[in-house]
Amino acid sequence: MLRTNPTPPTDISEAPLFLRALWGEDTPRAPIWIMRQAGRYLPEYRALKEKYSFWQMCEEPDLAAEVTLQPLARYPLDAAIVFSDIMTPLSSMGVDVAFHPGPVVAAPIRTPADIQALRVPAEDEISPYVGEAIRILRRSLHVPLIGFAGAPLTLATYLIQGQGSKEYPTLRQFLWGEPDLAHALLEKLAEMTARYLRMQIKAGAQAIQLFDSWAGLHSAPIYRTFGASYAAKVLDRLADLDVPRIYIAVGASHLYEEIAALPVEAVSVDWRMPLDLVRRALPAKTLQGNLEPAILLAPPQVIEEQAQDILRRGIGGAHVFNLGHGIFPQTPPEHLAHLIDVVQRFDRHAPHP
Ligand code: CP3
Protein backbone atom coordinates (compact mmCIF):
# COMPACT_ATOMS: atom_id res chain seq x y z
CA MET A 1 0.00 0.00 0.00
CA LEU A 2 1.30 3.43 -0.90
CA ARG A 3 1.19 5.82 2.02
CA THR A 4 -0.16 9.27 1.26
CA ASN A 5 1.27 11.05 4.29
CA PRO A 6 4.80 10.95 5.67
CA THR A 7 5.18 10.32 9.40
CA PRO A 8 7.16 12.69 11.65
CA PRO A 9 9.75 11.13 13.98
CA THR A 10 8.34 10.04 17.35
CA ASP A 11 10.92 12.15 19.23
CA ILE A 12 9.94 15.33 17.37
CA SER A 13 10.60 17.55 20.41
CA GLU A 14 14.30 16.67 19.99
CA ALA A 15 14.32 17.72 16.32
CA PRO A 16 15.80 21.01 15.07
CA LEU A 17 13.40 23.97 15.14
CA PHE A 18 13.10 24.10 11.34
CA LEU A 19 11.86 20.50 11.11
CA ARG A 20 9.51 20.93 14.06
CA ALA A 21 7.90 23.93 12.33
CA LEU A 22 7.62 22.03 9.03
CA TRP A 23 5.84 19.19 10.82
CA GLY A 24 3.27 21.72 12.00
CA GLU A 25 4.49 22.79 15.46
CA ASP A 26 3.73 26.32 16.63
CA THR A 27 7.36 26.88 17.72
CA PRO A 28 8.43 29.56 20.28
CA ARG A 29 10.45 31.33 17.58
CA ALA A 30 10.24 31.16 13.81
CA PRO A 31 13.16 29.32 12.17
CA ILE A 32 14.65 31.25 9.25
CA TRP A 33 16.42 30.41 6.00
CA ILE A 34 16.58 32.45 2.79
CA MET A 35 15.81 31.44 -0.77
CA ARG A 36 19.06 31.76 -2.77
CA GLN A 37 20.99 32.16 0.46
CA ALA A 38 24.12 31.04 -1.42
CA GLY A 39 24.52 33.43 -4.32
CA ARG A 40 25.76 36.62 -5.85
CA TYR A 41 24.98 39.00 -2.94
CA LEU A 42 27.85 37.28 -1.07
CA PRO A 43 31.39 38.49 -1.97
CA GLU A 44 32.75 35.01 -1.20
CA TYR A 45 30.35 33.53 -3.80
CA ARG A 46 31.41 36.12 -6.40
CA ALA A 47 35.06 35.30 -5.67
CA LEU A 48 34.50 31.58 -6.41
CA LYS A 49 32.48 32.52 -9.50
CA GLU A 50 35.61 34.26 -10.90
CA LYS A 51 37.33 30.88 -10.95
CA TYR A 52 34.51 28.48 -11.80
CA SER A 53 31.47 28.48 -14.03
CA PHE A 54 28.02 28.03 -12.52
CA TRP A 55 27.85 24.45 -13.91
CA GLN A 56 31.23 23.60 -12.42
CA MET A 57 29.99 24.81 -9.05
CA CYS A 58 26.93 22.53 -9.32
CA GLU A 59 28.69 19.46 -10.74
CA GLU A 60 31.77 19.32 -8.52
CA PRO A 61 30.44 18.01 -5.17
CA ASP A 62 33.18 19.60 -3.04
CA LEU A 63 32.56 22.98 -4.66
CA ALA A 64 28.77 22.67 -4.37
CA ALA A 65 29.20 21.82 -0.68
CA GLU A 66 31.57 24.75 -0.16
CA VAL A 67 29.11 27.20 -1.74
CA THR A 68 26.22 25.74 0.30
CA LEU A 69 28.18 26.42 3.50
CA GLN A 70 29.14 30.03 2.65
CA PRO A 71 25.99 31.68 4.07
CA LEU A 72 26.09 29.37 7.11
CA ALA A 73 29.59 30.52 7.99
CA ARG A 74 28.33 34.10 8.08
CA TYR A 75 24.84 33.79 9.58
CA PRO A 76 23.08 31.68 12.25
CA LEU A 77 20.57 30.30 9.71
CA ASP A 78 18.23 27.48 10.76
CA ALA A 79 18.59 25.43 7.55
CA ALA A 80 20.90 24.88 4.59
CA ILE A 81 19.85 24.22 0.97
CA VAL A 82 22.12 22.20 -1.29
CA PHE A 83 23.64 24.39 -3.99
CA SER A 84 22.32 23.45 -7.42
CA ASP A 85 19.62 24.64 -9.82
CA ILE A 86 16.17 23.46 -10.84
CA MET A 87 17.58 22.85 -14.35
CA THR A 88 20.39 20.55 -13.14
CA PRO A 89 18.68 17.14 -13.58
CA LEU A 90 17.60 17.96 -17.14
CA SER A 91 21.13 17.32 -18.38
CA SER A 92 20.65 13.68 -17.28
CA MET A 93 17.62 13.55 -19.60
CA GLY A 94 19.79 14.66 -22.51
CA VAL A 95 18.91 18.37 -22.50
CA ASP A 96 21.64 20.94 -23.05
CA VAL A 97 21.13 23.91 -20.66
CA ALA A 98 23.33 27.01 -20.39
CA PHE A 99 23.03 29.98 -17.97
CA HIS A 100 23.10 33.58 -19.28
CA PRO A 101 22.51 34.18 -16.30
CA GLY A 102 19.03 32.56 -16.44
CA PRO A 103 18.61 29.13 -18.05
CA VAL A 104 18.74 28.82 -21.86
CA VAL A 105 17.77 25.50 -23.50
CA ALA A 106 19.81 24.99 -26.70
CA ALA A 107 17.08 22.94 -28.44
CA PRO A 108 13.60 23.64 -27.00
CA ILE A 109 11.27 20.63 -26.63
CA ARG A 110 8.19 21.05 -28.86
CA THR A 111 7.62 17.98 -31.07
CA PRO A 112 6.63 14.36 -30.35
CA ALA A 113 10.16 13.33 -31.39
CA ASP A 114 11.70 15.84 -28.93
CA ILE A 115 9.65 14.37 -26.08
CA GLN A 116 10.31 10.79 -27.18
CA ALA A 117 14.05 11.46 -27.11
CA LEU A 118 14.04 12.57 -23.44
CA ARG A 119 15.58 9.89 -21.24
CA VAL A 120 14.12 9.11 -17.81
CA PRO A 121 17.20 7.74 -16.04
CA ALA A 122 17.21 5.51 -12.95
CA GLU A 123 17.30 7.19 -9.53
CA ASP A 124 21.07 6.91 -9.09
CA GLU A 125 21.79 8.18 -12.61
CA ILE A 126 20.10 11.57 -12.20
CA SER A 127 22.76 14.17 -11.32
CA PRO A 128 24.56 11.82 -8.88
CA TYR A 129 26.93 14.69 -7.96
CA VAL A 130 24.00 16.34 -6.11
CA GLY A 131 23.67 13.21 -3.95
CA GLU A 132 27.42 13.30 -3.34
CA ALA A 133 27.27 16.99 -2.29
CA ILE A 134 24.44 16.10 0.12
CA ARG A 135 26.48 13.28 1.66
CA ILE A 136 29.50 15.58 2.10
CA LEU A 137 27.33 18.29 3.68
CA ARG A 138 25.63 15.97 6.16
CA ARG A 139 29.03 15.10 7.64
CA SER A 140 29.63 18.69 8.80
CA LEU A 141 26.25 20.44 8.99
CA HIS A 142 24.62 21.25 12.32
CA VAL A 143 21.32 22.41 10.82
CA PRO A 144 18.89 20.49 8.59
CA LEU A 145 19.68 20.24 4.88
CA ILE A 146 17.00 20.92 2.27
CA GLY A 147 17.01 19.14 -1.10
CA PHE A 148 15.01 20.60 -3.98
CA ALA A 149 13.74 20.25 -7.52
CA GLY A 150 11.71 22.20 -10.05
CA ALA A 151 8.06 21.18 -10.40
CA PRO A 152 7.13 19.55 -13.74
CA LEU A 153 5.18 22.57 -15.08
CA THR A 154 8.02 24.98 -14.25
CA LEU A 155 10.62 22.72 -15.91
CA ALA A 156 8.31 22.39 -18.94
CA THR A 157 8.05 26.19 -19.00
CA TYR A 158 11.79 26.52 -19.69
CA LEU A 159 11.92 23.44 -21.94
CA ILE A 160 9.10 24.61 -24.22
CA GLN A 161 9.76 28.35 -24.19
CA GLY A 162 13.54 27.78 -24.36
CA GLN A 163 14.42 30.49 -21.83
CA GLY A 164 12.98 32.92 -19.30
CA SER A 165 10.38 35.32 -20.67
CA LYS A 166 7.91 37.86 -19.30
CA GLU A 167 4.76 36.35 -20.81
CA TYR A 168 5.80 32.85 -21.96
CA PRO A 169 3.62 32.98 -25.11
CA THR A 170 5.07 29.81 -26.68
CA LEU A 171 4.43 27.78 -23.54
CA ARG A 172 0.89 29.08 -23.10
CA GLN A 173 0.04 28.46 -26.74
CA PHE A 174 1.46 24.93 -26.40
CA LEU A 175 -0.73 24.07 -23.38
CA TRP A 176 -3.88 25.13 -25.29
CA GLY A 177 -2.87 23.87 -28.73
CA GLU A 178 -1.00 20.63 -27.94
CA PRO A 179 -2.46 19.35 -24.64
CA ASP A 180 -1.60 15.70 -25.40
CA LEU A 181 2.04 16.55 -26.05
CA ALA A 182 2.10 18.70 -22.91
CA HIS A 183 0.80 15.76 -20.84
CA ALA A 184 3.38 13.41 -22.37
CA LEU A 185 6.18 15.84 -21.47
CA LEU A 186 4.86 16.50 -17.95
CA GLU A 187 4.49 12.76 -17.32
CA LYS A 188 8.20 12.21 -18.08
CA LEU A 189 9.25 15.22 -16.02
CA ALA A 190 7.16 14.06 -13.05
CA GLU A 191 8.72 10.58 -13.14
CA MET A 192 12.25 11.99 -13.39
CA THR A 193 11.61 14.53 -10.60
CA ALA A 194 10.15 11.93 -8.22
CA ARG A 195 13.23 9.75 -8.73
CA TYR A 196 15.59 12.73 -8.37
CA LEU A 197 14.03 13.83 -5.06
CA ARG A 198 13.99 10.26 -3.71
CA MET A 199 17.70 10.09 -4.51
CA GLN A 200 18.34 13.36 -2.60
CA ILE A 201 16.37 12.17 0.45
CA LYS A 202 18.19 8.82 0.49
CA ALA A 203 21.49 10.73 0.29
CA GLY A 204 20.53 12.68 3.42
CA ALA A 205 18.23 15.63 2.56
CA GLN A 206 16.01 16.17 5.63
CA ALA A 207 13.29 18.22 3.90
CA ILE A 208 12.54 18.97 0.27
CA GLN A 209 11.20 22.02 -1.55
CA LEU A 210 9.44 21.76 -4.91
CA PHE A 211 9.80 25.03 -6.87
CA ASP A 212 6.84 25.80 -9.14
CA SER A 213 8.13 29.29 -9.86
CA TRP A 214 5.99 29.92 -12.94
CA ALA A 215 2.72 28.28 -11.85
CA GLY A 216 1.22 31.71 -11.11
CA LEU A 217 1.07 32.53 -14.84
CA HIS A 218 -1.98 30.32 -15.27
CA SER A 219 -5.70 30.32 -14.58
CA ALA A 220 -6.96 27.84 -11.98
CA PRO A 221 -8.24 25.27 -14.55
CA ILE A 222 -4.98 25.27 -16.51
CA TYR A 223 -2.99 25.06 -13.27
CA ARG A 224 -5.13 22.13 -12.04
CA THR A 225 -4.67 20.22 -15.28
CA PHE A 226 -0.99 20.85 -16.02
CA GLY A 227 0.48 22.08 -12.72
CA ALA A 228 -1.06 20.80 -9.51
CA SER A 229 -1.78 17.29 -10.81
CA TYR A 230 1.87 16.66 -11.75
CA ALA A 231 3.27 18.37 -8.65
CA ALA A 232 1.00 16.07 -6.58
CA LYS A 233 2.27 13.05 -8.49
CA VAL A 234 5.87 13.91 -7.56
CA LEU A 235 5.02 14.71 -3.92
CA ASP A 236 2.94 11.54 -3.40
CA ARG A 237 5.94 9.47 -4.47
CA LEU A 238 7.94 10.86 -1.50
CA ALA A 239 5.41 10.09 1.24
CA ASP A 240 7.00 6.79 2.34
CA LEU A 241 10.37 8.48 2.95
CA ASP A 242 9.04 10.49 5.91
CA VAL A 243 10.56 13.90 5.24
CA PRO A 244 8.49 17.12 5.26
CA ARG A 245 7.66 18.61 1.86
CA ILE A 246 7.51 22.34 0.97
CA TYR A 247 5.84 23.68 -2.18
CA ILE A 248 6.32 27.15 -3.64
CA ALA A 249 4.48 28.86 -6.46
CA VAL A 250 5.10 32.58 -7.03
CA GLY A 251 2.29 35.05 -7.81
CA ALA A 252 -0.19 32.30 -7.10
CA SER A 253 -2.63 33.76 -4.52
CA HIS A 254 -5.45 32.99 -6.98
CA LEU A 255 -4.51 29.29 -6.85
CA TYR A 256 -4.64 28.68 -3.09
CA GLU A 257 -7.69 26.43 -3.34
CA GLU A 258 -5.72 24.04 -5.54
CA ILE A 259 -2.52 24.49 -3.50
CA ALA A 260 -4.41 23.71 -0.25
CA ALA A 261 -5.15 20.24 -1.66
CA LEU A 262 -1.50 19.40 -2.51
CA PRO A 263 0.15 16.63 -0.46
CA VAL A 264 2.65 18.91 1.33
CA GLU A 265 3.32 19.85 4.92
CA ALA A 266 4.35 23.44 4.12
CA VAL A 267 3.63 26.13 1.53
CA SER A 268 6.04 28.97 0.81
CA VAL A 269 4.16 32.16 -0.07
CA ASP A 270 5.22 35.35 -1.80
CA TRP A 271 4.70 38.86 -0.41
CA ARG A 272 1.55 39.77 -2.32
CA MET A 273 -0.88 38.66 0.39
CA PRO A 274 -0.45 39.16 4.17
CA LEU A 275 0.40 35.95 6.02
CA ASP A 276 -2.69 35.99 8.27
CA LEU A 277 -4.95 36.02 5.21
CA VAL A 278 -2.95 33.23 3.57
CA ARG A 279 -3.41 31.23 6.80
CA ARG A 280 -7.18 31.29 6.27
CA ALA A 281 -6.75 29.90 2.75
CA LEU A 282 -4.21 27.25 3.83
CA PRO A 283 -5.22 26.41 7.42
CA ALA A 284 -3.67 22.94 7.49
CA LYS A 285 -0.20 23.91 6.22
CA THR A 286 2.94 25.31 7.80
CA LEU A 287 3.47 28.71 6.17
CA GLN A 288 6.88 29.81 4.93
CA GLY A 289 7.63 33.41 4.01
CA ASN A 290 6.97 36.11 3.16
CA LEU A 291 9.17 39.23 3.22
CA GLU A 292 9.26 41.12 -0.07
CA PRO A 293 12.94 40.70 -1.14
CA ALA A 294 13.22 44.42 -2.02
CA ILE A 295 12.72 45.28 1.66
CA LEU A 296 16.25 43.94 2.27
CA LEU A 297 17.48 46.88 0.17
CA ALA A 298 15.68 49.39 2.47
CA PRO A 299 17.12 50.94 5.67
CA PRO A 300 17.48 48.62 8.72
CA GLN A 301 14.55 50.29 10.54
CA VAL A 302 12.21 49.39 7.66
CA ILE A 303 13.50 45.81 7.60
CA GLU A 304 12.84 45.51 11.33
CA GLU A 305 9.29 46.93 11.16
CA GLN A 306 8.28 44.82 8.19
CA ALA A 307 9.80 41.61 9.57
CA GLN A 308 7.99 42.13 12.88
CA ASP A 309 4.72 42.73 11.06
CA ILE A 310 5.11 39.38 9.27
CA LEU A 311 6.12 37.62 12.51
CA ARG A 312 2.99 38.94 14.25
CA ARG A 313 0.78 37.83 11.34
CA GLY A 314 2.37 34.38 11.50
CA ILE A 315 1.40 33.81 15.15
CA GLY A 316 -1.21 31.13 15.80
CA GLY A 317 0.22 28.43 13.57
CA ALA A 318 3.47 26.97 12.30
CA HIS A 319 5.72 29.55 10.58
CA VAL A 320 9.13 29.35 8.89
CA PHE A 321 10.48 32.82 8.11
CA ASN A 322 11.82 33.37 4.58
CA LEU A 323 11.61 35.87 1.75
CA GLY A 324 8.68 35.76 -0.66
CA HIS A 325 11.15 34.84 -3.44
CA GLY A 326 14.94 34.75 -3.95
CA ILE A 327 17.24 37.36 -2.41
CA PHE A 328 18.36 40.11 -4.82
CA PRO A 329 22.06 40.05 -5.80
CA GLN A 330 22.38 43.74 -4.79
CA THR A 331 21.35 43.03 -1.16
CA PRO A 332 23.91 44.35 1.37
CA PRO A 333 25.02 41.26 3.37
CA GLU A 334 24.75 43.18 6.68
CA HIS A 335 21.05 43.79 6.02
CA LEU A 336 20.47 40.04 6.00
CA ALA A 337 22.35 39.76 9.32
CA HIS A 338 19.96 42.35 10.76
CA LEU A 339 16.89 40.51 9.48
CA ILE A 340 18.02 37.20 10.97
CA ASP A 341 18.68 38.90 14.30
CA VAL A 342 15.19 40.48 14.35
CA VAL A 343 13.50 37.15 13.51
CA GLN A 344 15.48 35.11 16.04
CA ARG A 345 14.83 37.60 18.88
CA PHE A 346 11.05 37.54 18.32
CA ASP A 347 9.19 35.45 20.92
CA ARG A 348 6.07 34.09 19.20
CA HIS A 349 4.50 32.98 22.47
CA ALA A 350 4.85 36.33 24.29
CA PRO A 351 1.84 38.69 24.28
CA HIS A 352 1.89 40.95 21.19
CA PRO A 353 -0.35 44.00 20.88
O1 CP3 B 1 18.75 28.85 -2.72
C1 CP3 B 1 19.93 28.47 -2.84
O2 CP3 B 1 20.89 28.99 -2.25
C2 CP3 B 1 20.21 27.26 -3.72
C3 CP3 B 1 20.52 27.59 -5.04
C4 CP3 B 1 19.48 27.78 -6.12
C5 CP3 B 1 19.84 28.31 -7.38
N1 CP3 B 1 18.77 28.24 -8.20
C6 CP3 B 1 21.18 28.81 -7.71
C7 CP3 B 1 21.32 29.75 -8.84
C8 CP3 B 1 18.12 27.45 -6.19
C9 CP3 B 1 17.21 26.88 -5.10
C10 CP3 B 1 17.69 27.74 -7.51
C11 CP3 B 1 16.32 27.47 -7.99
C12 CP3 B 1 15.89 28.06 -9.26
N2 CP3 B 1 16.59 28.22 -10.43
C13 CP3 B 1 14.57 28.49 -9.50
C14 CP3 B 1 13.45 28.41 -8.51
C15 CP3 B 1 13.49 29.58 -7.60
C16 CP3 B 1 12.97 30.84 -8.21
O3 CP3 B 1 13.75 31.78 -8.31
O4 CP3 B 1 11.79 30.86 -8.57
C17 CP3 B 1 14.50 28.97 -10.81
C18 CP3 B 1 13.28 29.55 -11.52
C19 CP3 B 1 15.78 28.77 -11.40
C20 CP3 B 1 16.19 29.07 -12.79
C21 CP3 B 1 17.31 30.04 -12.79
N3 CP3 B 1 18.63 29.71 -12.53
C22 CP3 B 1 17.25 31.43 -13.05
C23 CP3 B 1 16.01 32.20 -13.38
C24 CP3 B 1 18.56 31.90 -12.92
C25 CP3 B 1 19.04 33.31 -13.10
C26 CP3 B 1 18.63 33.99 -11.86
C27 CP3 B 1 19.43 35.17 -11.54
O5 CP3 B 1 19.47 35.39 -10.32
O6 CP3 B 1 19.97 35.85 -12.42
C28 CP3 B 1 19.40 30.82 -12.58
C29 CP3 B 1 20.86 30.86 -12.32
C30 CP3 B 1 21.21 30.68 -10.88
N4 CP3 B 1 20.76 29.66 -10.09
C31 CP3 B 1 22.12 31.47 -10.13
C32 CP3 B 1 22.21 30.89 -8.85
C33 CP3 B 1 23.08 31.31 -7.71
C34 CP3 B 1 22.89 32.65 -10.66
C35 CP3 B 1 24.05 32.10 -11.39
C36 CP3 B 1 25.25 33.00 -11.30
O7 CP3 B 1 25.96 32.96 -10.28
O8 CP3 B 1 25.49 33.73 -12.28
Side-chain angles (χ1 to χ4, degrees), residues 258-334:
E258 285 73 22
I259 291 172
L262 286 176
V264 286
E265 287 59 53
V267 175
S268 200
V269 297
D270 74 22
W271 61 93
R272 291 171 177 85
M273 213 192 238
L275 215 54
D276 46 336
L277 285 190
V278 180
R279 181 86 72 195
R280 283 188 218 161
L282 302 169
K285 310 291 191 195
T286 293
L287 296 185
Q288 178 175 278
N290 70 341
L291 190 80
E292 136 82 302
I295 291 173
L296 279 182
L297 308 177
Q301 186 56 34
V302 177
I303 296 172
E304 182 159 345
E305 283 163 12
Q306 294 304 310
Q308 285 174 346
D309 180 59
I310 289 168
L311 286 160
R312 277 192 292 269
R313 290 177 190 276
I315 288 173
H319 180 205
V320 173
F321 201 98
N322 205 315
L323 305 184
H325 202 179
I327 189 167
F328 285 125
Q330 58 272 40
T331 304
E334 64 277 15

Side-chain angles (χ1 to χ4, degrees), residues 36-38 40 45 49 54 84-85 101-103 158 211 213 325:
R36 298 275 173 99
Q37 63 191 25
R40 286 169 297 175
Y45 175 88
K49 192 70 196 301
F54 181 65
S84 189
D85 195 82
Y158 286 112
F211 285 91
S213 308
H325 202 179

Side-chain angles (χ1 to χ4, degrees), residues 118-323:
L118 289 177
R119 289 195 300 273
V120 181
E123 220 170 275
D124 57 357
E125 288 168 2
I126 305 170
S127 310
Y129 43 87
V130 174
E132 192 47 37
I134 289 172
R135 280 186 285 271
I136 293 170
L137 282 162
R138 281 301 304 277
R139 283 181 221 133
S140 63
L141 266 176
H142 298 292
V143 293
L145 179 61
I146 306 165
F148 73 92
L153 182 57
T154 286
L155 295 179
T157 301
Y158 286 112
L159 287 175
I160 295 167
Q161 187 73 36
Q163 58 184 57
S165 144
K166 193 154 164 270
E167 306 264 24
Y168 291 98
T170 310
L171 163 80
R172 286 156 66 189
Q173 172 193 0
F174 193 88
L175 296 180
W176 284 105
E178 300 281 4
D180 294 345
L181 283 187
H183 282 297
L185 174 60
L186 288 163
E187 206 54 75
K188 280 194 157 180
L189 291 171
E191 181 58 37
M192 180 281 289
T193 303
R195 291 180 192 179
Y196 179 50
L197 285 171
R198 290 185 68 83
M199 179 279 282
Q200 293 185 50
I201 295 167
K202 289 176 188 175
Q206 292 147 290
I208 64 91
Q209 180 155 319
L210 191 66
F211 285 91
D212 217 346
S213 308
W214 295 108
L217 276 174
H218 307 286
S219 67
I222 287 285
Y223 171 68
R224 263 197 302 277
T225 307
F226 298 106
S229 53
Y230 292 96
K233 234 176 217 211
V234 172
L235 294 159
D236 276 333
R237 286 275 299 282
L238 310 177
D240 63 309
L241 296 178
D242 297 330
V243 304
R245 303 159 295 181
I246 312 166
Y247 177 79
I248 177 167
V250 182
S253 327
H254 61 296
L255 303 174
Y256 284 158
E257 213 178 301
E258 285 73 22
I259 291 172
L262 286 176
V264 286
E265 287 59 53
V267 175
S268 200
V269 297
D270 74 22
W271 61 93
R272 291 171 177 85
M273 213 192 238
L275 215 54
D276 46 336
L277 285 190
V278 180
R279 181 86 72 195
R280 283 188 218 161
L282 302 169
K285 310 291 191 195
T286 293
L287 296 185
Q288 178 175 278
N290 70 341
L291 190 80
E292 136 82 302
I295 291 173
L296 279 182
L297 308 177
Q301 186 56 34
V302 177
I303 296 172
E304 182 159 345
E305 283 163 12
Q306 294 304 310
Q308 285 174 346
D309 180 59
I310 289 168
L311 286 160
R312 277 192 292 269
R313 290 177 190 276
I315 288 173
H319 180 205
V320 173
F321 201 98
N322 205 315
L323 305 184

Side-chain angles (χ1 to χ4, degrees), residues 94-123:
V95 180
D96 185 1
V97 182
F99 289 91
H100 299 298
V104 179
V105 178
I109 306 294
R110 294 174 191 161
T111 67
D114 295 339
I115 295 165
Q116 190 75 42
L118 289 177
R119 289 195 300 273
V120 181
E123 220 170 275

